[in-house]
Amino acid sequence: MFTPTLRILAAAMLLASASAGAQSTAPIKVGLMLPATGTYANLGQMIENGFKLYVAEKGGKIGGREIQYFKVDDESDPAKATDNVNKLIKRDQVDIVIGSVHSGVAMGMAKVARETNTLMIVPNAGADIITGAMCAKNIFRTSFTNWQPAYAMGVVAAKNGHKKAMTITWNYAAGTEAAKGFVDGFEKGGGKVGQNLTLPFPNVEFQALLTEIAAQKPDAVFAFFAGGGAVKFVKDYVASGLNKTIPLYGPGFLTDGTLEAQGEAAQGMTTTLHYADNLNTPRDNAFRLSFAKTYKTNADVYAVQGYDAAQLLEAGLNAAGGDIKNRDKVVDGMAKAQIDSPRGKFTLSAAHNPVQDIYLRQVKGNLNELKGVAIKALADPAKGCKM
Ligand code: BEZ
């Protein structure tokens, strides 16, 4: 017969195995921290739609686990990022946070994710530092660094023969880092960049800055704006007549998800990005069809990044037999994943940022049409990343 001590031990073992069993069948709690209001609201919606589409395509389960969603509207407000991400981590006890669009918000999230060792995937925000000096084992990105597409645009603008450029951006990490990426590429190709004109995010009063561009007469302009701000900027640039003598370039956020609203103003614009609307691969065609059928709208780069965030999480779960608490295996599976993205297959750098082709695109109708590969397998320099 069992002694009392043995009975207690057996009961404890039973309890432990019961809770392990419950753990492995309970849904994975995914915290979506995205903008639902403001100039980036549509970008947040496309990311969420992309993520949910991938999960739905897998029958509602990835890595054998159902997904339960928790949501916070981050309002693209960095000042609220800590409180907002803590709602997901502390109140909702999520297993992973996915977010955000705005670099400043994502930096706030990444700080908390580092401190609390919470698993995090960035499905858009390009803040270089997240996969640079702030890089961490538990932090991943399925999008880009602000440097990547902007650097490629600089290289292309220099190849196009421009010598003297100006930049114009919102005055926060995405804008200043994109401007720096453009300078790196353009000056490497022999060009010279003058002033970086800026205005606060999400201000769209561009008139005074357009007047300044007209006065300085550069032979090309590079701009970083996205969402509602990009729609207004491209229209204002054309309305000012500057486009007749000074071509406007930018990372593809300037024309992605915005073409219907930009209409005639965007036609012919050249941008660089890790996605284009007519890649015409079987993988991308299937994704675009599925997305259009489900959401009655065309996919864009934000939808792709959300879709790939779900794929990356799946890679981690598969490596850990569905056990998200087995952090070493999850992280290892994610770090080594090859993502079969609609943009083309990609892997992650040692800093957990996509190493990816940057495409050259040109606007025709409502499409950012593929014109070629501006830079193949471009990796961010990941300055200061030590893991
Ligand atoms: C950013 O803040 O990092 C960002 C926002 C929109 C598009 C691209 C980058």
Side-chain angles (χ1 to χ4, degrees):
M1 266 299 104
F2 292 131
T3 64
T5 321
L6 270 175
R7 248 184 264 130
I8 291 167
L9 200 66
M13 280 167 72
L14 249 170
L15 252 177
S17 72
S19 72
Q23 170 55 42
S24 60
T25 54
I28 302 285
K29 292 171 138 197
V30 170
L32 297 174
M33 182 158 150
L34 296 165
T37 48
T39 198
Y40 288 162
N42 191 49
L43 286 58
Q45 187 62 59
M46 293 300 268
I47 290 168
E48 178 176 340
N49 289 352
F51 192 100
K52 289 184 169 170
L53 179 66
Y54 186 76
V55 175
E57 284 176 358
K58 293 286 167 147
K61 282 188 178 180
I62 54 176
R65 304 283 296 272
E66 273 167 21
I67 303 295
Q68 185 179 8
Y69 296 102
F70 295 81
K71 284 171 49 167
V72 168
D73 173 9
D74 67 39
E75 303 169 53
S76 295
D77 186 350
K80 296 182 183 162
T82 304
D83 283 350
N84 279 332
V85 75
N86 274 327
K87 283 182 195 155
L88 295 170
I89 295 172
K90 296 200 172 134
R91 182 193 65 192
D92 301 331
Q93 307 259 304
V94 298
D95 295 302
I96 179 167
V97 288
I98 311 287
S100 183
V101 169
H102 184 288
S103 275
V105 173
M107 285 191 271
M109 289 178 76
K111 185 166 179 291
V112 177
R114 276 171 69 102
E115 286 162 5
T116 57
N117 194 24
T118 304
L119 200 55
M120 171 173 176
I121 299 176
V122 182
N124 184 70
D128 296 346
I129 196 171
I130 292 177
T131 49
M134 282 181 89
C135 74
K137 277 193 161 181
N138 54 311
I139 300 178
F140 293 82
R141 177 150 51 196
T142 55
S143 50
F144 55 90
T145 63
N146 292 318
W147 182 88
Q148 279 176 306
Y151 172 78
M153 191 73 264
V155 169
V156 169
K159 270 195 196 142
N160 286 355
H162 301 299
K163 295 282 173 239
K164 200 178 80 174
M166 277 178 89
T167 61
I168 175 166
T169 68
W170 274 318
N171 190 9
Y172 79 100
T176 48
E177 291 173 359
K180 166 81 170 65
F182 178 78
V183 171
D184 286 355
F186 192 61
E187 298 201 341
K188 192 173 160 212
K192 194 85 207 120
V193 181
Q195 221 178 327
N196 179 27
L197 303 174
T198 63
L199 71 171
F201 174 86
N203 196 324
V204 290
E205 296 312 316
F206 300 115
Q207 219 44 59
L209 301 181
L210 293 175
T211 306
E212 186 59 34
I213 292 172
Q216 296 206 17
K217 297 191 178 58
D219 48 41
V221 166
F222 168 90
F224 166 84
F225 297 103
V231 171
K232 173 96 171 23
F233 180 75
V234 169
K235 284 180 145 185
D236 284 6
Y237 194 84
V238 169
S240 73
L242 282 171
N243 64 314
K244 295 194 184 112
T245 48
I246 310 173
L248 175 62
Y249 294 110
F253 315 113
L254 209 48
T255 58
D256 231 84
T258 54
L259 289 176
E260 253 172 62
Q262 286 163 333
E264 203 44 47
Q267 297 307 306
M269 270 186 63
T270 295
T271 59
T272 44
L273 202 64
H274 46 289
Y275 190 58
D277 291 321
N278 62 336
L279 291 176
N280 202 18
T281 58
R283 180 72 179 106
D284 189 46
N285 290 346
F287 162 74
R288 291 184 75 86
L289 189 63
S290 171
F291 192 92
K293 268 192 186 159
T294 308
Y295 301 112
K296 315 289 173 239
T297 185
N298 284 331
D300 60 14
V301 71
Y302 308 106
V304 170
Q305 294 166 171
Y307 189 81
D308 292 343
Q311 296 208 64
L312 183 60
L313 173 58
E314 182 188 47
L317 285 171
N318 283 345
D323 182 4
I324 193 137
K325 302 282 189 255
N326 191 340
R327 176 62 65 82
D328 286 349
K329 288 230 166 99
V330 171
V331 160
D332 198 48
M334 289 169 75
K336 290 186 181 144
Q338 189 193 54
I339 301 297
D340 189 9
S341 171
R343 77 188 83 169
K345 290 192 168 104
F346 72 85
T347 53
L348 297 178
S349 66
H352 296 172
N353 188 66
V355 178
Q356 56 193 340
D357 293 350
I358 306 292
Y359 302 111
L360 183 63
R361 309 118 46 93
Q362 190 168 36
V363 176
K364 189 161 174 215
N366 275 347
L367 295 181
N368 285 287
E369 284 192 348
L370 178 70
K371 288 289 152 196
V373 177
I375 302 189
K376 200 138 185 66
L378 183 64
D380 180 83
K383 282 194 193 113
C385 172
K386 287 189 194 75
M387 253 198 249

